[in-house]
Amino acid sequence: MLPFLLNRLWQSLLLLIIVSIIGFTILNLIPGGPLSQYALDPGMTAADLERLKEQMGLNRPLPIQYLDWAWRMLHGDWGTSYRDGAPVTEVIGRHIFATFILMGSSMAISIAIGTWIGIRGATHRYSLFDYTATVGAMVALSIPTFWFGLVSIYIFSLKLGWFPAGNMYTIGNETVLGYLHHLILPSLVLSLVHVAVWSRYMRTATLDVIHQDFVKTARAKGVREKRVLMKHVVGNALLPMITLAGMQLPQLLSGALVTETVFTWPGMGRLFLDSLSYSDYPVVMGLLMLSAFLTLLGNLIADIVVSMVDPRIRLA
């Protein structure tokens, strides 16, 4: 187990370095740059721009800028926001909780509903339910998240008035029920695609396990079908789904970016778009590295859990 962990940690560290180099290079090669916001000021002269460029360290060679940024980040200094002058960690900290709530609720909905649909579709193969679930999954995968979000707002907020149209809470009603009321619609929109993916994978994994010899043996011994399903089939079918849960983290983060924008949810996705439009590169790089770290951490935890529960992988 220890060599496996050390190997994965080394790979994750290398990937983080590669992501940081690519992200830093692309951001600094984009036309305009952080000074484009100051250039819009009619009273800003070329000399003022040059002075700002020197103060922000943008007049140095790109490799030197990257090494300086990486060294400071390793020591806990993620930089200062160009937009409001606050530390990047403080800016991200104001939005990270909202994103975690949205992602966590969406993941829980996806796993619960997707697992049930997948198992029922496999145990009732070629039934009306199975065909309906298959068609529904294809439709869900084909619908853009932003379109489904806008339609949901139009129907459930504007027409029916069941849910708020956006934001995380209503001013004057900062209660737990108020937060949950605002959370329902965006979490359902974000989980739509993941329910479809999870149900398809779970159906395939369940069908693969159902036809294994140990399941046939359990049935031949007279074990009740419900016990066979819950103890022998579902437990083994969930093993590849643990890896899938780790792989869905990048999709959740990218989906949260769109969902937070549609519902004006004050999370990291909306902060990323706002910072990118303002050319606030320190915040953008901080969000990029945090997202990459969370993705690699999720995959690492999923691999560790799978290796712990599956002796075949652990022994290999």
Side-chain angles (χ1 to χ4, degrees), residues 230-271:
M230 299 304 299
K231 184 176 180 180
H232 299 283
V233 177
V234 175
N236 288 277
L238 283 175
L239 288 177
M241 310 310 293
I242 299 176
T243 304
L244 177 64
M247 294 173 59
Q248 280 193 322
L249 273 177
Q251 300 176 12
L252 275 172
L253 286 169
S254 60
L257 188 148
V258 178
T259 306
E260 289 176 2
T261 303
V262 173
F263 288 93
T264 60
W265 189 265
M268 293 193 303
R270 188 180 173 194
L271 175 64

Side-chain angles (χ1 to χ4, degrees), residues 36-98:
S36 60
Q37 302 294 332
Y38 299 98
L40 299 176
D41 187 354
M44 188 68 64
T45 64
D48 294 332
L49 291 175
E50 286 297 325
R51 187 175 65 255
L52 285 172
K53 193 174 183 180
E54 183 177 356
Q55 291 176 355
M56 299 167 70
L58 301 176
N59 58 342
R60 297 173 297 173
L62 190 59
I64 302 300
Q65 294 184 44
Y66 171 77
L67 291 176
D68 179 61
W69 169 84
W71 178 257
R72 286 188 290 106
M73 193 167 195
L74 286 175
H75 289 78
D77 181 10
W78 289 25
T80 303
S81 171
Y82 294 156
R83 189 173 187 178
D84 55 12
V88 172
T89 51
E90 181 182 326
V91 175
I92 296 178
R94 293 197 296 260
H95 298 79
I96 192 171
F97 181 67

Side-chain angles (χ1 to χ4, degrees), residues 41-179:
D41 187 354
M44 188 68 64
T45 64
D48 294 332
L49 291 175
E50 286 297 325
R51 187 175 65 255
L52 285 172
K53 193 174 183 180
E54 183 177 356
Q55 291 176 355
M56 299 167 70
L58 301 176
N59 58 342
R60 297 173 297 173
L62 190 59
I64 302 300
Q65 294 184 44
Y66 171 77
L67 291 176
D68 179 61
W69 169 84
W71 178 257
R72 286 188 290 106
M73 193 167 195
L74 286 175
H75 289 78
D77 181 10
W78 289 25
T80 303
S81 171
Y82 294 156
R83 189 173 187 178
D84 55 12
V88 172
T89 51
E90 181 182 326
V91 175
I92 296 178
R94 293 197 296 260
H95 298 79
I96 192 171
F97 181 67
T99 295
F100 280 172
I101 290 178
L102 181 60
M103 289 178 56
S105 59
S106 299
M107 178 67 82
I109 293 172
S110 303
I111 293 176
I113 299 179
T115 300
W116 179 77
I117 293 176
I119 294 174
R120 184 168 178 82
T123 55
H124 297 76
R125 195 178 183 185
Y126 302 133
S127 64
L128 178 61
F129 178 87
D130 188 27
Y131 283 121
T132 304
T134 301
V135 173
M138 296 301 104
V139 172
L141 291 171
S142 304
I143 296 177
T145 304
F146 74 90
W147 184 88
F148 184 65
L150 293 174
V151 171
S152 300
I153 291 175
Y154 178 77
I155 295 176
F156 297 106
S157 297
L158 300 181
K159 291 297 183 181
L160 299 177
W162 290 355
F163 304 106
N167 220 320
M168 190 175 177
Y169 59 88
T170 301
I171 298 177
N173 185 27
E174 294 88 356
T175 61
V176 175
L177 291 179
Y179 279 100

Side-chain angles (χ1 to χ4, degrees), residues 104-122 129 133 136-137 140 184 187-203 238 241 248:
S105 59
S106 299
M107 178 67 82
I109 293 172
S110 303
I111 293 176
I113 299 179
T115 300
W116 179 77
I117 293 176
I119 294 174
R120 184 168 178 82
F129 178 87
I184 292 175
S187 60
L188 288 176
V189 170
L190 181 57
S191 63
L192 176 68
V193 174
H194 304 288
V195 168
V197 173
W198 196 276
S199 64
R200 293 295 88 196
Y201 274 99
M202 191 64 196
R203 179 183 183 274
L238 283 175
M241 310 310 293
Q248 280 193 322

